[in-house]
Amino acid sequence: MASGVHPDHNVFPSVLKSSTLSVDLRFGESVHACIVRLGFHLDLYTNNALMNMYAKFQSLDMSMRDEFYGLEVSGGHKIYVHEVLDGIPERNGDGQAKSVLVSCNEPNTDYRKHRFEESVLGSGDNVNLHSVELPCSDGARHVDEGSCAKTNNGRRLQMDSVRKVFEQMPTRDLVSWNTVIVGFARSGLFEEALKMVREMRNANLKPDSFTLSSVLPIFAEYVDVIKGKEIHGYAIRHGLDTDLFIGSSLIDMYAKCTRVEDSHRVFGLLPRRDVISWNSIIAGCVQNGMFDEGLKFFRQMLLAKIKPRHVSFSSIMPACSHMTTLHLGKQLHGYIIRNGYDDNVFIASSLVDMYAKCGNIRIARCIFDKMELHDMVSWTSIIMGHALHGYALDAISLFEQMEKEGVKANSVAFVAALTACSHAGLIDKAWSYFNSMTRNYGIVPGLEHYTAVADLLGRAGKLEEAYEFISSMHIRPTGSIWSTLLSACRVHKNVELAEKVAEKIFMTDPDNIGAYILLTNVYSAAHRWKDAVRLRIHMRNKGLKKTPACSWIEIKNTVHAFAAGDESHPCYDKINEALNVLLERMEQEGYVPETKEVLHDVEEEQKKYLLHYHSERLAIAFGIISTPDGTTIRVIKNLRVCGDCHTAIKFISKIVHREIIVRDNSRFHHFKNGKCSCGDYW
DNA sequence: ATAGGGTTAG
């Protein structure tokens, strides 16, 4: 097997590259031992490759494994490392590697494992790997999960090895510095990385495109656009600003600093664009809530004949989640399956979220259950999905299952758990999560946690408690959290508190239309017509216009939108007819319209009419007449589903024997046989 | 021998 040729300095960089890809630290360490034994530990290229190997071990994750099948060694062979049997060498030590099981692919030969005594490179003799011939099949693949150091400790440990190698090098070039810098940057040791950049300049070496594209992600993470711009300026002065790698880091950095316009500028100035530059701009748009823009870039990328990658899909999918465009999400899902991307954790999580947000929690659960590996994000997505659909108990048991499987909840997971409680009125459970989060997990509650708890207290009618809770937050309450309480004041008809809360909102946001409308409704419900009118006039004088309630339903890839009393739909006559039949049946079943809160200056019959022609009812009626029996009806409403609306849909679901799913802003209500998944917690 | 982009948040 060994030719006996002495290895030259080209051998180890090649072997080390292979061990880097093998995801096997122990194998790499045995190679390191050989390097020392054969006296190559002073060779510049060998050391650079060695540092790269140690640096890579800490950043390899599951998703990267999809991208390699074997290790290319020069000569066209692929080596598969199966097992290190014993004798793990000391780092930087004198090499006591005993034996390694490897196999190698070569066409038309059978699968066999080869056992090497002493070390992978032979029995202490000088062996040139170029000439090693190892017949076997291409099916072999070794993945050692244990050597995937993903924890911080693991990362720091690997970086210690990199540092040790670096320090004992007699000479260092730009590549050496860049390798150390990227190693620190990727292990989250940002300050160390930046320190190395300064030291490198002290050593009279100029940062190049490798350095800059490794350092830029740090400022993206720090959200430090000033430092990021400094790098951008340096790049321009050195003619590096049109470099593909720097370009995509710049696009990403500006986007993460919420400066998407600057991302656009950089993207526009690139002379050439690859998948990653496209992905950067797409992700940048989506992360900043510019969903249409992101989709536009996604389509342009396809038109430019750039084949999307894993990242492209996990970047664009949230756009479908946020816009609730199920048909688009399904198209993307189709593409994902056809290209075999569906086993990627990022993509699967984004799909789970998309289906849940688009109203199909069953498919979301299906995808989740099929995943081989659940990380914290996929757990959080499915928990949040159940929470938003009102299935609080499922959400809670999923949360417990997650903990049992050793996945530790982070602050987002707690938002999901608290949201589940708030949607189902589980006050005690919510407090236990809230307290455990702060006491046992050391998580400082953020606005989202406070909002979920305040929302829950409000929905449950504990208005004063909610007020005290919001007032005692350690961060400044926002208009949106007060709005939650204002909305609860409307439901529970508490005028005094509503005025107090509205005052809080107007202090920071005097033009908050939603708050005006809610307060008007509170006055109307309490028959304080004069106050209601006064407020309406005030709004008119300020030029504030109420945005009308609107509901929409997606049928066969077309979105049909309805506003209250909207007669413009081509099927209006049929919808009208269906609604009349429905109303009759509903009243037979005992439905009594709750007309009190509607405009006081309208005749009683007119009130009933207005109520009945609410946007969501138009949309549901259209769904009923245009889809076959038994089809679930999914409708989206841009106002909270509460009060009369909630009651009416319960009746409708009983009469038509269908499941009706209504989404208001972000929550789903499943109506079936006259019941709602979230009880009466609106 | 070294570099860039991704999923969850009422």
Side-chain angles (χ1 to χ4, degrees):
Chain A
M1 83 177 177
S3 69
V5 175
H6 282 262
D8 58 14
H9 63 270
N10 293 320
V11 170
F12 284 109
S14 165
V15 176
L16 285 165
K17 187 168 189 171
S18 303
S19 29
T20 302
L21 289 169
S22 80
V23 202
D24 189 329
L25 175 61
R26 289 170 295 178
F27 174 57
E29 285 175 325
S30 59
V31 176
H32 188 175
C34 286
I35 288 168
V36 175
R37 187 165 22 169
L38 298 174
F40 280 98
H41 60 291
L42 298 177
D43 178 66
L44 178 65
Y45 281 25
T46 302
N47 275 316
N48 285 348
L50 199 49
M51 290 193 295
N52 182 47
M53 177 193 76
Y54 283 122
K56 279 275 168 57
F57 279 143
Q58 38 92 22
S59 61
L60 283 172
D61 61 34
M62 300 309 287
S63 59
M64 271 194 68
R65 294 176 190 181
D66 304 334
E67 295 176 13
F68 76 89
Y69 279 82
L71 322 169
E72 285 286 354
V73 178
S74 41
H77 297 294
K78 283 184 177 180
I79 289 202
Y80 295 87
V81 183
H82 292 275
E83 207 178 340
V84 177
L85 295 178
D86 56 336
I88 299 166
E90 285 292 308
R91 255 178 232 140
N92 303 338
D94 15 306
Q96 286 303 312
K98 285 287 169 13
S99 47
V100 177
L101 284 180
V102 295
S103 62
C104 179
N105 122 328
E106 200 184 71
N108 309 320
T109 47
D110 291 324
Y111 170 77
R112 249 184 284 163
K113 282 182 179 175
H114 286 258
R115 189 190 171 92
F116 294 85
E117 293 305 330
E118 263 296 291
S119 92
V120 67
L121 298 179
S123 49
D125 296 322
N126 294 341
V127 173
N128 188 339
L129 239 195
H130 291 76
S131 63
V132 175
E133 288 172 25
L134 309 160
C136 83
S137 84
D138 47 344
R141 184 171 160 191
H142 177 80
V143 170
D144 184 353
E145 299 207 10
S147 56
C148 277
K150 284 201 80 176
T151 62
N152 272 337
N153 276 342
R155 287 172 175 179
R156 265 151 240 249
L157 221 68
Q158 301 311 327
M159 277 317 292
D160 282 345
S161 307
V162 178
R163 206 198 300 255
K164 268 186 202 156
V165 175
F166 184 80
E167 278 164 5
Q168 56 92 54
M169 285 171 73
T171 52
R172 306 177 186 105
D173 66 355
L174 199 51
V175 177
S176 326
W177 286 95
N178 284 342
T179 306
V180 183
I181 290 165
V182 80
F184 280 127
R186 271 205 289 241
S187 30
L189 302 164
F190 298 150
E191 290 309 317
E192 301 277 348
L194 296 173
K195 200 178 110 200
M196 290 310 262
V197 176
R198 286 190 294 271
E199 283 183 24
M200 164 183 157
R201 301 188 75 173
N202 291 340
N204 273 328
L205 284 167
K206 274 204 182 104
D208 65 351
S209 69
F210 285 83
T211 327
L212 301 193
S213 49
S214 312
V215 163
L216 275 167
I218 298 178
F219 300 128
E221 178 75 27
Y222 276 163
V223 195
D224 186 343
V225 75
I226 309 282
K227 293 260 172 54
K229 275 202 140 153
E230 235 173 77
I231 305 281
H232 193 175
Y234 180 95
I236 293 171
R237 286 194 298 281
H238 293 76
L240 295 170
D241 57 319
T242 52
D243 176 274
L244 257 192
F245 285 78
I246 296 179
S248 39
S249 313
L250 280 172
I251 293 168
D252 181 57
M253 184 275 295
Y254 281 124
K256 296 244 164 73
C257 298
T258 69
R259 305 274 284 256
V260 218
E261 327 78 54
D262 291 317
S263 302
H264 280 90
R265 273 227 310 277
V266 175
F267 183 78
L269 289 171
L270 287 179
R272 203 165 65 77
R273 291 159 194 140
D274 66 358
V275 218
I276 299 188
S277 359
W278 281 102
N279 285 340
S280 305
I281 192 71
I282 292 168
C285 290
V286 175
Q287 285 160 0
N288 283 280
M290 301 165 62
F291 307 121
D292 282 318
E293 197 84 347
L295 277 166
K296 208 181 83 198
F297 278 115
F298 188 82
R299 295 202 180 95
Q300 280 177 19
M301 176 179 78
L302 296 182
L303 284 175
K305 297 271 179 254
I306 303 283
K307 195 176 185 298
R309 283 207 226 167
H310 294 90
V311 184
S312 320
F313 293 102
S314 41
S315 306
I316 197 64
M317 199 59 76
C320 304
S321 308
H322 286 281
M323 300 190 307
T324 16
T325 46
L326 183 59
H327 62 284
L328 231 161
K330 278 185 176 168
Q331 278 176 27
L332 290 170
H333 191 187
Y335 195 107
I336 287 164
I337 292 172
R338 284 195 297 282
N339 287 274
Y341 291 161
D342 49 339
D343 58 350
N344 177 289
V345 208
F346 286 77
I347 293 184
S349 304
S350 70
L351 277 171
V352 167
D353 180 64
M354 186 277 292
Y355 276 108
K357 294 254 171 67
C358 290
N360 207 329
I361 186 68
R362 277 179 216 121
I363 295 190
R365 184 59 185 265
C366 213
I367 293 171
F368 178 83
D369 288 339
K370 271 198 208 135
M371 289 174 72
E372 267 177 50
L373 201 133
H374 295 132
D375 66 351
M376 205 264 307
V377 175
S378 47
W379 278 109
T380 304
S381 303
I382 197 68
I383 293 168
M384 195 57 170
H386 284 83
L388 293 177
H389 282 264
Y391 300 128
L393 298 180
D394 295 287
I396 288 165
S397 87
L398 282 164
F399 188 93
E400 282 163 4
Q401 211 180 318
M402 169 181 79
E403 301 259 88
K404 231 192 295 178
E405 292 186 16
V407 177
K408 201 173 174 205
N410 74 349
S411 107
V412 187
F414 275 103
V415 174
L418 290 169
T419 303
C421 299
S422 99
H423 207 349
L426 306 174
I427 295 182
D428 294 342
K429 193 76 191 164
W431 280 125
S432 105
Y433 276 130
F434 192 81
N435 292 331
S436 149
M437 171 181 95
T438 47
R439 282 179 206 148
N440 308 331
Y441 290 74
I443 295 171
V444 181
L447 190 65
E448 289 87 356
H449 305 101
Y450 286 123
T451 306
V453 175
D455 188 59
L456 167 59
L457 294 172
R459 281 169 198 263
K462 296 176 179 285
L463 300 176
E464 294 295 338
E465 203 179 319
Y467 184 88
E468 289 307 316
F469 181 74
I470 296 174
S471 306
S472 67
M473 279 161 45
H474 79 279
I475 45 177
R476 207 183 142 77
T478 57
S480 69
I481 192 164
W482 285 122
S483 298
T484 321
L485 182 54
L486 186 54
S487 172
C489 290
R490 191 194 90 173
V491 172
H492 296 283
K493 306 184 188 0
N494 185 328
V495 186
E496 289 68 35
L497 194 64
E499 286 177 326
K500 221 162 118 186
V501 171
E503 195 49 46
K504 294 269 190 196
I505 298 173
F506 294 139
M507 260 163 38
T508 50
D509 186 5
D511 293 341
N512 191 318
I513 300 172
Y516 277 108
I517 306 280
L518 279 172
L519 192 55
T520 314
N521 289 336
V522 175
Y523 284 136
S524 299
H527 300 265
R528 284 172 54 171
W529 315 122
K530 275 188 190 155
D531 289 313
V533 170
R534 177 178 54 82
L535 215 56
R536 257 188 239 124
I537 292 171
H538 182 68
M539 277 177 72
R540 198 192 304 150
N541 290 343
K542 288 192 83 168
L544 299 176
K545 264 225 161 82
K546 175 184 171 179
T547 39
C550 170
S551 297
W552 57 97
I553 181 169
E554 195 181 300
I555 288 168
K556 287 190 190 127
N557 297 352
T558 308
V559 176
H560 301 260
F562 298 88
D566 183 3
E567 299 183 7
S568 65
H569 195 276
C571 303
Y572 181 75
D573 289 340
K574 275 173 134 181
I575 294 170
N576 191 27
E577 209 177 294
L579 275 176
N580 284 333
V581 176
L582 262 181
L583 182 60
E584 207 174 297
R585 292 283 313 277
M586 286 159 73
E587 291 186 326
Q588 281 169 11
E589 293 276 341
Y591 166 70
V592 183
E594 200 186 303
T595 51
K596 288 190 201 69
E597 290 183 39
V598 197
L599 305 168
H600 72 287
D601 47 3
V602 176
E603 295 294 319
E604 200 55 35
E605 259 314 293
Q606 186 76 5
K607 280 180 193 170
K608 200 162 116 182
Y609 173 88
L610 277 177
L611 203 57
H612 196 56
Y613 285 79
H614 265 176
S615 61
E616 79 279 356
R617 264 163 262 192
L618 292 167
I620 290 170
F622 181 66
I624 292 170
I625 59 177
S626 57
T627 59
D629 285 351
T631 313
T632 301
I633 295 168
R634 290 191 172 80
V635 163
I636 295 174
K637 186 182 156 105
N638 77 343
L639 282 178
R640 187 175 274 198
V641 177
C642 63
D644 183 62
C645 165
H646 203 267
T647 314
I649 302 171
K650 282 206 271 191
F651 276 96
I652 297 174
S653 77
K654 195 172 167 190
I655 290 163
V656 299
H657 300 292
R658 292 202 193 198
E659 185 181 17
I660 301 175
I661 302 174
V662 183
R663 179 185 147 156
D664 68 31
N665 293 326
S666 66
R667 291 169 190 233
F668 292 88
H669 301 255
H670 290 239
F671 297 90
K672 208 172 176 181
N673 300 323
K675 285 190 186 121
C676 179
S677 59
C678 62
D680 273 326
Y681 282 87
W682 306 319

